[in-house]
Coordinates of all heavy atoms in Angstrom, one line a residue:
M1 N 82.9 141.0 81.2 CA 81.7 141.1 81.9 C 80.5 141.0 81.0 O 80.7 141.1 79.8 CB 81.7 142.5 82.6 CG 82.0 143.7 81.8 SD 80.5 144.3 81.0 CE 79.7 144.9 82.4
K2 N 79.4 140.6 81.6 CA 78.3 140.2 80.7 C 77.1 141.2 80.8 O 76.8 141.7 81.9 CB 77.8 138.8 81.1 CG 78.7 137.7 80.8 CD 78.2 136.4 81.2 CE 79.0 135.2 80.7 NZ 80.5 135.4 80.8
L3 N 76.5 141.4 79.6 CA 75.3 142.2 79.5 C 74.1 141.4 79.0 O 74.4 140.4 78.2 CB 75.5 143.4 78.5 CG 76.7 144.3 78.8 CD1 76.9 145.2 77.6 CD2 76.4 145.1 80.0
L4 N 72.9 141.7 79.3 CA 71.8 141.0 78.8 C 71.1 142.0 77.8 O 70.7 143.1 78.1 CB 70.8 140.7 79.9 CG 71.3 139.7 80.9 CD1 70.3 139.5 82.0 CD2 71.6 138.4 80.2
V5 N 71.1 141.6 76.5 CA 70.7 142.5 75.4 C 69.5 141.9 74.7 O 69.5 140.7 74.2 CB 71.8 142.7 74.4 CG1 71.4 143.7 73.3 CG2 73.1 143.1 75.1
T6 N 68.4 142.6 74.7 CA 67.2 142.2 73.9 C 67.3 142.9 72.5 O 67.5 144.1 72.4 CB 65.9 142.7 74.6 OG1 65.9 142.1 75.9 CG2 64.7 142.2 73.9
D7 N 67.2 142.0 71.5 CA 67.4 142.5 70.1 C 66.1 143.1 69.6 O 65.0 143.1 70.3 CB 68.0 141.5 69.2 CG 67.1 140.3 69.0 OD1 65.9 140.4 69.2 OD2 67.7 139.2 68.6
R8 N 66.1 143.5 68.4 CA 64.9 144.1 67.8 C 63.8 143.1 67.5 O 62.6 143.5 67.3 CB 65.2 144.8 66.4 CG 66.1 146.0 66.6 CD 66.4 146.7 65.3 NE 67.1 147.9 65.6 CZ 68.2 148.3 65.0 NH1 68.7 147.5 64.0 NH2 68.8 149.4 65.3
Q9 N 64.1 141.8 67.6 CA 63.0 140.8 67.5 C 62.5 140.3 68.8 O 61.7 139.4 68.9 CB 63.6 139.6 66.7 CG 63.8 139.8 65.2 CD 64.9 140.8 64.9 OE1 66.0 140.6 65.4 NE2 64.6 141.7 64.0
G10 N 63.0 140.9 69.9 CA 62.6 140.6 71.2 C 63.4 139.4 71.8 O 63.0 138.9 72.9
E11 N 64.4 138.9 71.2 CA 65.2 137.8 71.7 C 66.3 138.3 72.6 O 66.9 139.4 72.3 CB 65.9 137.1 70.5 CG 65.3 135.8 70.1 CD 66.0 135.1 69.0 OE1 67.2 134.7 69.3 OE2 65.5 135.0 67.9
E12 N 66.5 137.6 73.7 CA 67.5 138.1 74.7 C 68.9 137.3 74.4 O 68.9 136.1 74.1 CB 67.1 137.8 76.1 CG 67.7 138.7 77.1 CD 67.1 138.6 78.5 OE1 67.4 137.6 79.2 OE2 66.3 139.5 78.8
H13 N 70.0 138.1 74.5 CA 71.3 137.6 74.3 C 72.2 137.9 75.5 O 72.0 139.0 76.0 CB 71.9 138.2 73.0 CG 71.1 138.1 71.8 ND1 71.4 137.1 70.8 CD2 70.0 138.8 71.4 CE1 70.5 137.3 69.8 NE2 69.7 138.3 70.1
T14 N 73.0 137.0 75.8 CA 74.1 137.4 76.8 C 75.3 137.8 76.0 O 75.8 137.0 75.2 CB 74.4 136.2 77.7 OG1 73.2 135.8 78.4 CG2 75.5 136.5 78.7
V15 N 75.8 139.0 76.2 CA 76.9 139.5 75.4 C 78.1 139.8 76.3 O 77.9 140.4 77.4 CB 76.4 140.8 74.7 CG1 77.6 141.5 74.1 CG2 75.4 140.5 73.7
E16 N 79.2 139.3 75.9 CA 80.4 139.5 76.7 C 81.0 140.9 76.2 O 81.2 141.1 75.0 CB 81.4 138.4 76.3 CG 82.7 138.4 77.1 CD 82.5 138.0 78.6 OE1 81.7 137.1 78.9 OE2 83.2 138.7 79.4
A17 N 81.1 141.8 77.1 CA 81.6 143.1 76.7 C 83.0 143.4 77.4 O 83.2 142.9 78.4 CB 80.6 144.2 77.2
T18 N 83.8 144.2 76.7 CA 85.1 144.5 77.2 C 85.2 145.8 77.9 O 84.9 146.8 77.3 CB 86.1 144.5 76.0 OG1 85.9 143.3 75.2 CG2 87.5 144.6 76.4
V19 N 85.6 145.7 79.2 CA 85.7 146.9 80.0 C 86.7 147.9 79.3 O 87.8 147.4 78.9 CB 86.2 146.6 81.4 CG1 86.5 147.8 82.2 CG2 85.1 145.8 82.1
G20 N 86.3 149.1 79.3 CA 87.2 150.1 78.7 C 87.0 150.4 77.2 O 87.5 151.4 76.7
E21 N 86.1 149.6 76.6 CA 85.8 149.8 75.2 C 84.4 150.4 75.0 O 83.6 150.3 75.9 CB 85.8 148.4 74.4 CG 87.2 148.0 73.9 CD 87.1 146.8 73.0 OE1 86.0 146.4 72.6 OE2 88.2 146.3 72.7
S22 N 84.2 150.9 73.8 CA 82.8 151.4 73.5 C 81.9 150.2 73.6 O 82.1 149.1 73.1 CB 82.9 152.0 72.1 OG 81.6 151.9 71.5
L23 N 80.7 150.5 74.2 CA 79.7 149.4 74.3 C 79.2 149.0 72.9 O 78.9 147.9 72.6 CB 78.5 150.0 75.1 CG 77.2 149.1 75.2 CD1 77.6 147.7 75.7 CD2 76.2 149.8 76.1
M24 N 79.2 150.0 72.0 CA 78.8 149.7 70.6 C 79.7 148.6 70.0 O 79.1 147.8 69.2 CB 78.9 151.0 69.8 CG 78.6 150.8 68.3 SD 80.1 150.4 67.4 CE 81.0 151.9 67.2
L25 N 81.0 148.6 70.2 CA 81.8 147.6 69.6 C 81.4 146.2 70.0 O 81.4 145.3 69.2 CB 83.3 147.9 70.0 CG 83.9 149.1 69.5 CD1 85.3 149.3 70.0 CD2 83.9 149.1 67.9
S26 N 81.1 146.0 71.3 CA 80.6 144.7 71.7 C 79.3 144.3 71.1 O 79.1 143.1 70.7 CB 80.5 144.6 73.3 OG 81.7 144.9 73.9
L27 N 78.4 145.2 70.9 CA 77.1 144.9 70.3 C 77.3 144.7 68.8 O 76.6 143.8 68.3 CB 76.2 146.1 70.6 CG 75.9 146.4 72.0 CD1 75.0 147.6 72.2 CD2 75.2 145.2 72.7
R28 N 78.1 145.4 68.2 CA 78.3 145.3 66.7 C 79.0 143.9 66.4 O 78.7 143.3 65.4 CB 79.2 146.4 66.2 CG 79.2 146.4 64.6 CD 79.7 147.6 64.1 NE 81.1 147.9 64.4 CZ 81.8 148.9 63.9 NH1 81.3 149.8 63.1 NH2 83.1 149.0 64.2
T29 N 79.9 143.5 67.3 CA 80.5 142.2 67.1 C 79.5 141.1 67.1 O 79.7 140.1 66.4 CB 81.5 141.9 68.3 OG1 82.5 142.9 68.3 CG2 82.1 140.6 68.3
H30 N 78.4 141.2 67.8 CA 77.3 140.2 67.8 C 76.2 140.6 66.9 O 75.1 140.0 67.0 CB 76.8 140.1 69.3 CG 77.8 139.5 70.2 ND1 78.7 140.3 70.8 CD2 77.9 138.2 70.6 CE1 79.5 139.5 71.6 NE2 79.0 138.2 71.5
D31 N 76.5 141.5 65.9 CA 75.5 141.9 64.9 C 74.2 142.4 65.6 O 73.1 142.2 65.0 CB 75.2 140.8 64.0 CG 76.3 140.6 63.0 OD1 77.0 141.5 62.6 OD2 76.5 139.4 62.6
L32 N 74.3 143.1 66.7 CA 73.1 143.6 67.4 C 72.8 145.0 67.0 O 71.6 145.5 67.2 CB 73.2 143.4 68.9 CG 73.2 141.9 69.3 CD1 73.7 141.8 70.8 CD2 71.8 141.4 69.2
V33 N 73.8 145.7 66.6 CA 73.6 147.1 66.1 C 74.4 147.3 64.8 O 75.4 146.6 64.6 CB 74.0 148.2 67.1 CG1 73.2 148.2 68.4 CG2 75.5 148.1 67.4
D34 N 73.9 148.2 63.9 CA 74.6 148.4 62.7 C 75.8 149.4 62.9 O 76.9 149.2 62.3 CB 73.7 149.0 61.6 CG 72.6 148.0 61.3 OD1 72.8 146.8 61.3 OD2 71.5 148.5 60.9
A35 N 75.6 150.4 63.7 CA 76.7 151.4 63.9 C 77.3 151.9 62.6 O 78.5 151.8 62.5 CB 77.7 150.8 64.9
T36 N 76.5 152.4 61.7 CA 77.0 152.7 60.4 C 78.0 153.8 60.4 O 78.8 153.9 59.5 CB 75.9 153.0 59.4 OG1 75.0 153.9 60.0 CG2 75.1 151.7 59.1
C37 N 78.0 154.7 61.4 CA 79.0 155.8 61.4 C 80.2 155.4 62.2 O 81.1 156.2 62.4 CB 78.4 157.1 61.9 SG 78.2 157.2 63.7
S38 N 80.2 154.2 62.7 CA 81.4 153.6 63.4 C 81.7 154.4 64.7 O 82.9 154.5 65.1 CB 82.6 153.5 62.6 OG 82.4 152.5 61.6
G39 N 80.7 155.0 65.3 CA 81.0 155.7 66.6 C 81.2 157.2 66.6 O 81.6 157.7 67.6
S40 N 80.8 157.8 65.5 CA 81.1 159.3 65.4 C 79.8 160.1 65.8 O 79.7 161.3 65.6 CB 81.6 159.7 64.1 OG 80.6 159.4 63.1
C41 N 78.9 159.4 66.5 CA 77.7 160.1 67.1 C 76.9 160.8 66.1 O 76.5 161.9 66.3 CB 78.2 161.0 68.2 SG 76.9 161.6 69.3
S42 N 76.6 160.1 64.9 CA 75.8 160.8 63.9 C 74.7 159.9 63.3 O 73.7 160.5 62.8 CB 76.7 161.4 62.8 OG 77.4 160.3 62.2
C43 N 74.9 158.6 63.3 CA 73.9 157.8 62.6 C 72.8 157.3 63.4 O 71.7 157.0 62.9 CB 74.6 156.5 62.0 SG 75.1 155.3 63.2
A44 N 73.0 157.2 64.7 CA 72.0 156.7 65.7 C 71.5 155.3 65.5 O 70.6 154.8 66.1 CB 70.8 157.6 65.7
T45 N 72.3 154.5 64.6 CA 71.9 153.1 64.5 C 72.4 152.2 65.6 O 72.2 151.0 65.6 CB 72.4 152.5 63.1 OG1 73.9 152.7 63.1 CG2 71.8 153.3 61.9
C46 N 73.0 152.9 66.6 CA 73.5 152.1 67.8 C 72.6 152.5 69.0 O 73.0 152.3 70.1 CB 74.9 152.5 68.1 SG 75.1 154.2 68.6
H47 N 71.4 153.0 68.7 CA 70.5 153.5 69.7 C 70.0 152.4 70.6 O 69.5 151.3 70.1 CB 69.3 154.2 69.0 CG 68.2 154.8 69.9 ND1 67.0 155.0 69.4 CD2 68.2 155.1 71.2 CE1 66.2 155.5 70.4 NE2 67.0 155.6 71.5
L48 N 70.0 152.6 71.9 CA 69.5 151.6 72.9 C 68.6 152.2 73.9 O 68.6 153.4 74.1 CB 70.7 151.1 73.8 CG 71.9 150.5 73.2 CD1 73.0 150.3 74.2 CD2 71.6 149.2 72.4
F49 N 67.8 151.4 74.5 CA 67.1 151.7 75.7 C 67.8 151.0 76.9 O 67.9 149.8 76.9 CB 65.6 151.3 75.6 CG 64.9 151.8 74.4 CD1 64.1 151.0 73.6 CD2 64.9 153.2 74.1 CE1 63.4 151.5 72.5 CE2 64.3 153.7 73.0 CZ 63.5 152.8 72.2
I50 N 68.1 151.8 77.9 CA 68.9 151.3 79.0 C 68.1 150.7 80.1 O 68.5 149.7 80.8 CB 69.8 152.4 79.6 CG1 70.8 153.0 78.5 CG2 70.6 151.9 80.7 CD1 71.8 152.0 78.0
G51 N 66.9 151.2 80.3 CA 66.1 150.7 81.4 C 66.3 151.6 82.6 O 67.4 152.0 82.9
E52 N 65.2 151.9 83.3 CA 65.3 152.9 84.4 C 66.2 152.4 85.5 O 66.8 153.3 86.2 CB 63.9 153.1 84.9 CG 63.0 153.9 83.9 CD 61.8 154.5 84.5 OE1 61.6 154.4 85.8 OE2 61.0 155.0 83.8
A53 N 66.3 151.1 85.7 CA 67.1 150.7 86.8 C 68.6 151.0 86.6 O 69.4 151.1 87.6 CB 67.0 149.1 87.0
W54 N 69.0 151.2 85.4 CA 70.4 151.4 85.1 C 70.8 152.8 84.6 O 71.9 153.2 84.7 CB 70.9 150.4 84.1 CG 70.9 149.0 84.6 CD1 69.9 148.1 84.6 CD2 72.0 148.3 85.3 NE1 70.3 146.9 85.2 CE2 71.6 147.0 85.6 CE3 73.3 148.7 85.6 CZ2 72.4 146.1 86.2 CZ3 74.1 147.8 86.2 CH2 73.7 146.5 86.6
V55 N 69.8 153.4 83.9 CA 70.2 154.6 83.2 C 70.7 155.7 84.1 O 71.7 156.4 83.7 CB 69.0 155.1 82.4 CG1 67.9 155.8 83.2 CG2 69.4 156.1 81.3
S56 N 70.3 155.8 85.4 CA 70.8 156.9 86.2 C 72.2 156.6 86.7 O 72.9 157.5 87.3 CB 69.8 157.1 87.4 OG 69.7 155.9 88.1
D57 N 72.7 155.3 86.6 CA 74.0 155.0 87.0 C 75.1 155.4 85.9 O 76.3 155.3 86.2 CB 74.2 153.5 87.3 CG 73.4 153.1 88.5 OD1 73.0 154.0 89.3 OD2 73.0 151.9 88.6
L58 N 74.6 155.7 84.8 CA 75.5 156.0 83.7 C 75.9 157.5 83.7 O 75.1 158.3 84.1 CB 74.9 155.7 82.3 CG 74.5 154.2 82.2 CD1 73.8 154.0 80.8 CD2 75.7 153.3 82.3
P59 N 77.1 157.8 83.2 CA 77.4 159.3 83.0 C 76.4 159.9 82.0 O 75.9 159.2 81.1 CB 78.8 159.3 82.4 CG 79.1 157.9 82.0 CD 78.1 157.0 82.7
P60 N 76.0 161.2 82.3 CA 75.0 161.8 81.4 C 75.5 161.9 79.9 O 76.7 162.0 79.7 CB 74.8 163.2 82.0 CG 76.0 163.4 82.8 CD 76.5 162.1 83.2
P61 N 74.6 162.0 79.0 CA 75.0 162.1 77.6 C 75.7 163.5 77.4 O 75.4 164.5 78.0 CB 73.7 162.0 76.8 CG 72.6 162.3 77.8 CD 73.1 161.9 79.1
S62 N 76.6 163.5 76.4 CA 77.2 164.8 76.0 C 76.2 165.6 75.3 O 75.1 165.1 74.9 CB 78.4 164.5 75.1 OG 77.9 163.9 73.9
D63 N 76.5 166.9 75.0 CA 75.5 167.7 74.2 C 75.3 167.1 72.9 O 74.2 167.1 72.4 CB 76.1 169.1 74.1 CG 76.0 169.9 75.4 OD1 75.4 169.4 76.4 OD2 76.7 170.9 75.5
D64 N 76.4 166.6 72.2 CA 76.3 166.0 70.9 C 75.3 164.8 70.9 O 74.5 164.6 70.1 CB 77.6 165.5 70.4 CG 78.5 166.7 69.9 OD1 77.9 167.8 69.8 OD2 79.7 166.5 69.6
E65 N 75.5 163.9 71.9 CA 74.7 162.7 72.0 C 73.2 163.1 72.2 O 72.3 162.6 71.6 CB 75.2 161.8 73.1 CG 74.3 160.5 73.2 CD 74.7 159.6 74.3 OE1 75.7 159.8 75.0 OE2 74.0 158.6 74.5
A66 N 73.0 164.0 73.2 CA 71.6 164.5 73.5 C 71.0 165.1 72.3 O 69.8 164.9 72.0 CB 71.7 165.5 74.7
E67 N 71.7 165.8 71.5 CA 71.2 166.4 70.3 C 70.7 165.4 69.3 O 69.6 165.5 68.7 CB 72.2 167.3 69.7 CG 71.7 168.4 68.7 CD 72.8 169.4 68.4 OE1 73.3 170.0 69.3 OE2 73.1 169.4 67.2
V68 N 71.5 164.3 69.1 CA 71.1 163.3 68.1 C 69.9 162.6 68.6 O 68.9 162.4 67.9 CB 72.3 162.3 67.9 CG1 71.8 161.1 67.2 CG2 73.5 163.0 67.2
I69 N 69.9 162.2 69.9 CA 68.7 161.5 70.5 C 67.4 162.3 70.4 O 66.4 161.8 70.1 CB 69.0 161.1 72.0 CG1 70.1 160.0 72.0 CG2 67.7 160.6 72.7 CD1 70.6 159.7 73.4
E70 N 67.5 163.6 70.6 CA 66.4 164.5 70.6 C 65.6 164.4 69.3 O 64.3 164.5 69.3 CB 66.9 165.9 70.8 CG 65.8 167.0 71.0 CD 66.4 168.3 71.0 OE1 67.5 168.5 71.5 OE2 65.6 169.3 70.6
F71 N 66.2 164.1 68.2 CA 65.6 164.0 66.9 C 65.1 162.6 66.5 O 64.6 162.4 65.3 CB 66.4 164.7 65.8 CG 66.5 166.2 66.0 CD1 67.7 166.7 66.6 CD2 65.5 167.0 65.7 CE1 67.8 168.1 66.8 CE2 65.6 168.4 65.9 CZ 66.7 168.9 66.4
L72 N 65.3 161.7 67.3 CA 64.9 160.3 67.0 C 63.4 160.1 67.2 O 62.9 160.4 68.3 CB 65.7 159.3 67.8 CG 67.2 159.3 67.6 CD1 67.9 158.3 68.5 CD2 67.5 159.1 66.1
K73 N 62.8 159.4 66.3 CA 61.4 159.1 66.4 C 61.1 158.2 67.6 O 60.1 158.3 68.3 CB 61.0 158.3 65.1 CG 59.6 157.9 65.0 CD 59.2 157.5 63.5 CE 60.2 156.5 62.9 NZ 59.8 156.0 61.6
F74 N 62.0 157.3 67.9 CA 61.8 156.3 69.0 C 62.5 156.7 70.3 O 62.7 155.8 71.1 CB 62.2 154.9 68.5 CG 61.4 154.4 67.4 CD1 62.0 154.2 66.1 CD2 60.0 154.0 67.5 CE1 61.2 153.8 65.0 CE2 59.3 153.6 66.5 CZ 59.9 153.4 65.2
A75 N 62.9 157.9 70.4 CA 63.6 158.3 71.6 C 62.7 158.2 72.9 O 61.5 158.4 72.8 CB 64.0 159.8 71.5
Q76 N 63.3 157.7 73.9 CA 62.7 157.6 75.3 C 63.6 158.3 76.3 O 64.7 158.6 76.0 CB 62.5 156.1 75.6 CG 61.7 155.3 74.7 CD 61.5 153.9 75.2 OE1 60.7 153.1 74.6 NE2 62.3 153.5 76.2
E77 N 63.1 158.3 77.5 CA 63.8 158.9 78.6 C 65.2 158.2 78.8 O 66.1 158.7 79.2 CB 63.0 158.8 79.9 CG 61.9 159.9 80.0 CD 62.4 161.3 80.1 OE1 63.4 161.5 80.9 OE2 61.9 162.1 79.3
D78 N 65.1 156.8 78.6 CA 66.3 156.0 78.8 C 67.1 155.7 77.6 O 67.9 154.8 77.5 CB 65.9 154.7 79.5 CG 65.0 153.9 78.7 OD1 64.4 154.4 77.7 OD2 64.8 152.7 79.0
S79 N 66.9 156.6 76.5 CA 67.7 156.4 75.3 C 69.1 156.8 75.5 O 69.4 157.8 76.1 CB 67.1 157.3 74.2 OG 65.9 156.8 73.7
R80 N 70.0 156.0 74.9 CA 71.4 156.3 74.8 C 72.0 155.7 73.5 O 71.4 154.8 72.9 CB 72.2 155.7 76.0 CG 71.9 156.2 77.3 CD 72.1 157.7 77.5 NE 73.5 158.1 77.3 CZ 74.4 158.3 78.3 NH1 74.0 158.2 79.5 NH2 75.6 158.7 78.0
L81 N 73.1 156.3 73.1 CA 73.8 155.8 71.9 C 75.0 155.0 72.4 O 75.8 155.5 73.2 CB 74.3 157.0 71.0 CG 73.3 157.9 70.5 CD1 73.9 159.0 69.7 CD2 72.2 157.2 69.6
S82 N 75.0 153.7 72.0 CA 75.9 152.8 72.6 C 77.4 153.2 72.3 O 78.3 152.8 73.0 CB 75.7 151.4 72.3 OG 75.7 151.2 70.9
C83 N 77.6 153.9 71.2 CA 78.9 154.3 70.8 C 79.5 155.4 71.7 O 80.7 155.6 71.8 CB 79.0 154.8 69.4 SG 78.2 156.3 69.0
Q84 N 78.6 156.0 72.5 CA 79.1 157.0 73.4 C 79.2 156.5 74.9 O 79.5 157.3 75.8 CB 78.1 158.2 73.4 CG 77.9 158.8 72.0 CD 79.2 159.3 71.4 OE1 79.8 160.2 72.0 NE2 79.6 158.7 70.3
L85 N 79.1 155.2 75.1 CA 79.2 154.7 76.4 C 80.4 153.7 76.5 O 80.6 152.9 75.6 CB 77.9 153.9 76.7 CG 76.6 154.7 76.9 CD1 75.4 153.7 77.0 CD2 76.7 155.5 78.2
I86 N 81.2 153.9 77.5 CA 82.4 153.1 77.7 C 82.0 152.0 78.7 O 81.4 152.3 79.7 CB 83.6 153.9 78.2 CG1 83.9 155.0 77.2 CG2 84.8 153.0 78.5 CD1 84.4 154.5 75.9
V87 N 82.3 150.8 78.4 CA 81.9 149.7 79.3 C 82.7 149.7 80.6 O 83.9 149.9 80.5 CB 82.2 148.3 78.6 CG1 81.9 147.1 79.5 CG2 81.4 148.2 77.3
T88 N 82.0 149.6 81.7 CA 82.7 149.6 83.0 C 82.3 148.3 83.8 O 81.3 147.7 83.4 CB 82.3 150.8 83.9 OG1 80.9 150.7 84.2 CG2 82.6 152.1 83.1
E89 N 83.0 148.0 84.8 CA 82.7 146.9 85.7 C 81.3 147.0 86.2 O 80.6 146.0 86.5 CB 83.7 146.7 86.8 CG 85.1 146.4 86.4 CD 85.3 144.9 85.9 OE1 84.3 144.1 86.0 OE2 86.4 144.6 85.5
A90 N 80.9 148.2 86.5 CA 79.6 148.5 87.1 C 78.4 148.1 86.2 O 77.3 148.0 86.7 CB 79.5 150.0 87.5
M91 N 78.7 147.9 85.0 CA 77.6 147.5 84.0 C 77.3 146.0 84.1 O 76.5 145.5 83.3 CB 78.0 147.9 82.6 CG 78.0 149.4 82.4 SD 78.5 149.7 80.6 CE 78.4 151.5 80.6
E92 N 78.1 145.2 84.9 CA 77.8 143.8 84.9 C 76.4 143.4 85.1 O 75.7 143.9 86.1 CB 78.7 143.2 86.1 CG 78.5 141.7 86.3 CD 79.2 140.9 85.2 OE1 80.3 141.2 84.8 OE2 78.5 139.9 84.7
G93 N 75.8 142.7 84.2 CA 74.4 142.3 84.3 C 73.4 143.3 83.8 O 72.2 143.1 83.9
M94 N 73.9 144.4 83.3 CA 73.0 145.4 82.8 C 72.1 144.9 81.7 O 72.5 144.2 80.8 CB 73.8 146.6 82.3 CG 72.9 147.8 81.9 SD 73.9 149.3 81.7 CE 74.6 149.0 80.0
K95 N 70.8 145.3 81.8 CA 69.8 144.8 80.8 C 69.6 146.0 79.8 O 69.2 147.1 80.3 CB 68.5 144.4 81.4 CG 68.6 143.1 82.2 CD 67.3 142.7 82.7 CE 67.4 141.4 83.4 NZ 66.1 140.9 84.0
I96 N 69.8 145.8 78.6 CA 69.5 146.8 77.6 C 68.7 146.3 76.4 O 68.7 145.1 76.2 CB 70.9 147.4 77.1 CG1 71.8 146.3 76.5 CG2 71.6 148.2 78.1 CD1 73.1 146.8 76.0
T97 N 68.1 147.2 75.7 CA 67.2 146.8 74.6 C 67.6 147.6 73.4 O 67.7 148.9 73.5 CB 65.7 147.1 74.9 OG1 65.4 146.3 76.1 CG2 64.8 146.7 73.8
V98 N 67.8 147.0 72.3 CA 68.2 147.7 71.0 C 66.9 148.4 70.5 O 65.8 147.8 70.4 CB 68.7 146.7 70.0 CG1 69.1 147.5 68.7 CG2 69.9 146.0 70.5
A99 N 67.0 149.7 70.3 CA 65.8 150.5 69.8 C 65.5 150.1 68.4 O 66.3 149.6 67.6 CB 66.2 152.0 69.9
P100 N 64.2 150.3 68.0 CA 63.8 150.0 66.7 C 64.6 150.8 65.7 O 65.0 151.9 66.0 CB 62.3 150.4 66.6 CG 61.9 150.5 68.1 CD 63.1 150.8 68.9
E101 N 64.6 150.3 64.4 CA 65.3 151.1 63.4 C 64.5 152.4 63.1 O 63.2 152.3 63.0 CB 65.3 150.3 62.1 CG 66.4 149.2 62.1 CD 66.6 148.5 60.8 OE1 67.0 149.2 59.8 OE2 66.3 147.3 60.7
E102 N 65.2 153.4 62.9 CA 64.5 154.7 62.6 C 64.0 154.8 61.2 O 63.2 155.6 60.9 CB 65.5 155.9 62.9 CG 65.9 156.1 64.3 CD 64.7 156.7 65.1 OE1 64.0 157.6 64.6 OE2 64.5 156.3 66.3
G103 N 64.6 154.0 60.3 CA 64.2 154.0 58.9 C 64.8 155.2 58.1 O 64.1 155.6 57.1
F104 N 65.9 155.7 58.5 CA 66.6 156.7 57.6 C 68.0 156.2 57.2 O 68.5 155.3 57.7 CB 66.6 158.1 58.2 CG 67.1 158.1 59.6 CD1 68.5 157.9 59.9 CD2 66.3 158.5 60.6 CE1 68.9 158.0 61.2 CE2 66.7 158.6 61.9 CZ 68.1 158.3 62.2
Ligands
LIG201 S1 77.5 154.3 65.8 FE1 76.6 156.0 64.8 S2 75.8 157.2 66.4 FE2 76.6 155.5 67.4

């Protein structure tokens, strides 16, 4: 299934994502996120903005994910960590934006 991803330079990419896998893995394959902690919910380099049209369709963040997001400089209402999201069929066509680097 395909996602539309806007990178940190504002360029849009169509990314093929694998249902059942972490969203971060598909983004990292395309060098769109660093994911330096490889999905352990600690580095926040996989931070995304989901967009209001889609964010409410996703399962809510865990306490751990919410806690990491809370301390991010660029956090928004639609912030999520892509390593904490599993790709589903319902995400077909979802538009997401890679958040700016936090600089830590
Ligand atoms: S990959 Fe580190 S928090 Fe998601």
Side-chain angles (χ1 to χ4, degrees):
M1 52 88 66
K2 291 181 172 42
L3 304 170
L4 297 173
V5 185
T6 302
D7 67 20
R8 292 185 175 129
Q9 286 70 47
E11 258 183 65
E12 204 169 81
H13 306 259
T14 301
V15 171
E16 187 72 36
T18 306
V19 171
E21 274 190 6
S22 156
L23 175 54
M24 174 273 283
L25 292 177
S26 300
L27 299 176
R28 189 166 67 176
T29 297
H30 292 81
D31 286 329
L32 291 164
V33 297
D34 295 330
T36 53
C37 78
S38 295
S40 63
C41 197
S42 59
C43 71
T45 60
C46 67
H47 180 200
L48 303 176
F49 303 132
I50 301 293
E52 291 194 6
W54 291 90
V55 72
S56 59
D57 292 340
L58 300 178
S62 66
D63 290 348
D64 284 349
E65 182 184 353
E67 198 171 301
V68 170
I69 289 171
E70 188 183 330
F71 289 102
L72 298 179
K73 183 167 46 175
F74 296 109
Q76 298 183 172
E77 286 293 313
D78 60 344
S79 286
R80 294 300 301 264
L81 300 180
S82 59
C83 68
Q84 302 301 300
L85 293 169
I86 301 298
V87 177
T88 67
E89 294 286 355
M91 291 179 178
E92 177 72 45
M94 185 168 78
K95 291 184 177 179
I96 54 181
T97 301
V98 180
E101 282 188 66
E102 291 286 320
F104 51 66

